[in-house]
């Protein structure tokens, strides 16, 4: 592969479980050299997380394998003089230091920003935490579900009868990791001009609220408090999940032309002439009546048939798939989204991991090696095993 945007960037990664490792995984995919610093004998908690007990026992849990391919692992105890010396040497030669301890933990270990900056004035130091390094909640513990609840996200997920509901994957960890990767990349670009590093204080709560889009902006700007709407989209109609002959179908006819095409394709060209459905705002007010009319027509064909017909007409429409079905899509295969990498443990094993959806000059970003065994690269950094 050609040179990647972050080739040559050295990242010292103190993070655990998901938000931080997801961030450094993105940096690795873009070419950065990532070294995980792990507690001797224990390592990242994700090494013991996943649905396969045998992998968990080997400290190569599925959660760890998914987010740590292509990285190196070094065991260091930051309370031990030898470990501290090795850590300081690594920081002195690094471009990025990433951690997701509770706010203030690294500083209490003797490595506040002033100390880190003295070791390396060009260092970009990113601290991911639930609530940020300041404020009345800064010292509180937080996992993804805690942030989902505090952000308001769970209050708008589901229907009036089922809220609050947790989003079905750790979205706040993911958003926090993505925002951290963006912030680090921006800081590296800024350092190229100024020659100076900086301290990035990332709050998962704030990043998550920022990512909630119109759910937040409608309230801030218009005073309209969002309500749970299940599979419907509050900003447009028809936009949501509909019934077909063999299962659900998502349709997002958010533009007037798309709505008119939808009605024509399903054999109901009369609907746009109905005063209740003629315009965007009136369709939103009469959403239930419109959905009833559409469902009656859509039950005539299968979800796949409608997906093909509507997509061909420029109307966004698609089946609702399971995770297993989604991973079998030809679209993903054609773009090289899934990558098979060796398993670092014993035996001739391989695991499949995901990329990040970015293709650089025609090549999909993918890990260049397996997830590391705990302490696998100790000797590379002069650390006793």
């Amino acid at each position: 592969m050609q040179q990647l945007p972050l080739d040559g960037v050295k990242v010292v990664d103190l993070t655990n479980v998901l938000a931080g490792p997801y961030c450094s995984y993105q940096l690795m995919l873009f070419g950065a050299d990532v070294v995980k610093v792990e507690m001797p004998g224990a390592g990242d908690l994700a090494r013991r997380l996943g649905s396969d007990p045998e992998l968990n026992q080997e400290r190569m849990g599925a959660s760890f394998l998914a987010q740590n391919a292509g990285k190196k692992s070094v065991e260091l105890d930051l309370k031990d003089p030898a470990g501290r010396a090795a850590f300081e040497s690594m920081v002195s030669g690094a471009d990025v230091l990433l951690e997701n301890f509770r706010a203030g933990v690294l500083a209490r270990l003797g490595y506040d920003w002033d100390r880190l900056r003295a070791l390396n004035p060009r260092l970009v130091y990113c601290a991911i935490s639930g609530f940020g390094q300041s404020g009345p909640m800064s010292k509180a513990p937080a996992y993804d579900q805690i942030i989902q609840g505090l952000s308001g996200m769970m209050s708008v997920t589901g229907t009036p009868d089922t809220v609050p509901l947790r989003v079905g994957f750790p979205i706040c960890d993911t958003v926090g990791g993505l925002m951290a990767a963006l912030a680090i990349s921006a800081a590296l670009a800024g350092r190229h001009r100024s020659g100076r590093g900086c301290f990035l204080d990332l709050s998962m709560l704030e990043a998550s609220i920022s990512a909630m889009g119109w759910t937040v902006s409608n309230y801030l700007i218009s005073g309209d408090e969002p309500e749970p709407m299940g599979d419907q989209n509050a900003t447009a109609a028809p936009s949501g999940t509909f019934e077909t002959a063999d299962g659900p179908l998502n349709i997002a006819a958010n533009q007037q032309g798309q709505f008119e095409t939808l009605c024509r394709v399903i054999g109901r060209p009369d609907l746009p002439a109905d005063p209740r459905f003629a315009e965007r705002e009136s369709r939103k007010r009469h959403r239930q009546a419109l959905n009833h009319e559409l469902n009656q027509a859509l039950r005539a064909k299968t979800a796949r048939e409608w997906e093909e017909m509507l997509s061909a007409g420029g109307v966004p429409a698609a089946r609702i798939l399971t995770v297993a079905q989604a991973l079998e899509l030809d679209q993903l295969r054609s773009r090289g989204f899934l990558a098979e990498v060796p398993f670092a443990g014993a035996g001739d094993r391989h695991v499949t991991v995901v990329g990040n959806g970015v293709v650089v000059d025609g090549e999909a970003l993918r890990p260049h090696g397996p997830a590391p065994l705990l302490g696998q690269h100790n000797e590379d950094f002069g650390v006793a095993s």
Side-chain angles (χ1 to χ4, degrees), residues 232 238 241-243 266 268 271 276-277 286-299:
Q232 297 294 301
T241 302
F242 297 86
E243 302 169 10
I266 67 172
R268 290 300 306 274
L271 291 178
R276 296 174 299 170
F277 313 139
H286 297 94
R287 181 189 303 273
Q288 290 187 353
L290 176 57
N291 289 355
H292 175 74
E293 298 292 340
L294 294 175
N295 282 330
Q296 284 190 315
L298 289 165
R299 293 190 190 106

Side-chain angles (χ1 to χ4, degrees), residues 33-344:
D33 182 10
V34 178
V35 181
K36 287 184 67 71
V37 175
E38 303 186 70
M39 180 61 70
D44 189 336
L45 175 61
R47 288 184 176 275
R48 301 183 293 282
L49 299 178
S51 59
D52 187 326
E54 292 185 7
L55 286 175
N56 296 343
Q57 186 67 28
E58 294 179 52
R59 291 181 179 163
M60 294 296 281
S63 179
F64 181 82
L65 293 172
Q67 308 299 335
N68 291 282
K71 303 178 188 178
K72 300 173 182 176
S73 171
V74 173
E75 295 175 285
L76 288 181
D77 183 353
L78 295 184
K79 296 180 181 179
D80 175 75
R84 292 171 68 86
F87 174 68
E88 291 177 13
S89 175
M90 293 172 69
V91 168
S92 296
D95 296 288
V96 177
L97 174 65
L98 177 66
E99 53 103 339
N100 64 345
F101 299 128
R102 201 180 304 184
V105 167
L106 194 59
R108 289 196 294 274
L109 289 170
Y111 297 107
D112 60 13
W113 175 226
D114 287 340
R115 173 65 176 145
L116 292 169
R117 183 166 45 188
L119 289 170
N120 183 352
R122 289 176 54 81
L123 184 70
V124 172
Y125 167 34
C126 181
I128 304 172
S129 61
F131 308 106
Q133 303 294 308
S134 60
M137 298 180 71
S138 61
K139 300 297 191 294
Y143 285 126
D144 177 88
Q145 183 152 353
I146 303 304
I147 302 299
Q148 285 200 32
L150 283 170
S151 67
M153 193 176 295
M154 291 175 65
S155 75
V156 295
T157 302
T159 68
D161 295 329
T162 62
V163 293
L165 283 180
R166 174 185 175 275
V167 178
F169 66 97
I171 187 171
C172 296
D173 277 324
T174 302
V175 166
L178 284 174
M179 185 60 72
L182 171 61
I184 289 168
S185 300
L188 290 171
R191 190 189 68 176
H192 180 71
R193 297 191 303 273
S194 70
R196 297 187 303 274
C198 64
F199 174 31
L200 303 170
D201 169 7
L202 190 136
S203 159
M204 285 173 54
L205 175 63
E206 294 168 30
S208 298
I209 293 174
S210 173
M212 288 168 65
W214 57 261
T215 305
V216 171
S217 61
N218 279 351
Y219 176 73
L220 288 175
I221 297 169
S222 304
D224 293 330
E225 189 160 355
E227 299 177 352
M229 296 186 63
D231 55 22
Q232 297 294 301
N233 179 356
T235 66
S239 188
T241 302
F242 297 86
E243 302 169 10
T244 72
D246 67 344
L249 177 76
N250 272 332
I251 299 175
N254 296 349
Q255 300 177 23
Q256 184 67 25
Q258 292 170 342
F259 172 60
E260 293 172 0
T261 300
L262 166 65
C263 295
R264 183 176 67 255
V265 170
I266 67 172
R268 290 300 306 274
D270 58 300
L271 291 178
D274 188 316
R276 296 174 299 170
F277 313 139
E279 297 178 351
R280 182 188 188 90
E281 293 303 317
S282 62
R283 287 196 293 275
K284 288 164 58 179
R285 289 193 301 270
H286 297 94
R287 181 189 303 273
Q288 290 187 353
L290 176 57
N291 289 355
H292 175 74
E293 298 292 340
L294 294 175
N295 282 330
Q296 284 190 315
L298 289 165
R299 293 190 190 106
K301 296 182 184 295
T302 66
R304 181 183 285 276
E305 289 175 313
W306 286 126
E307 176 182 323
E308 294 173 352
M309 294 171 64
L310 292 171
S311 294
V315 179
R319 294 156 291 152
I320 296 175
L321 305 179
T322 65
V323 172
Q325 290 170 333
L327 292 173
E328 291 296 324
L329 285 170
D330 290 339
Q331 177 67 18
L332 301 185
R333 189 175 298 107
S334 71
R335 286 175 54 85
F337 175 70
L338 298 173
E340 190 176 81
V341 297
F343 181 74

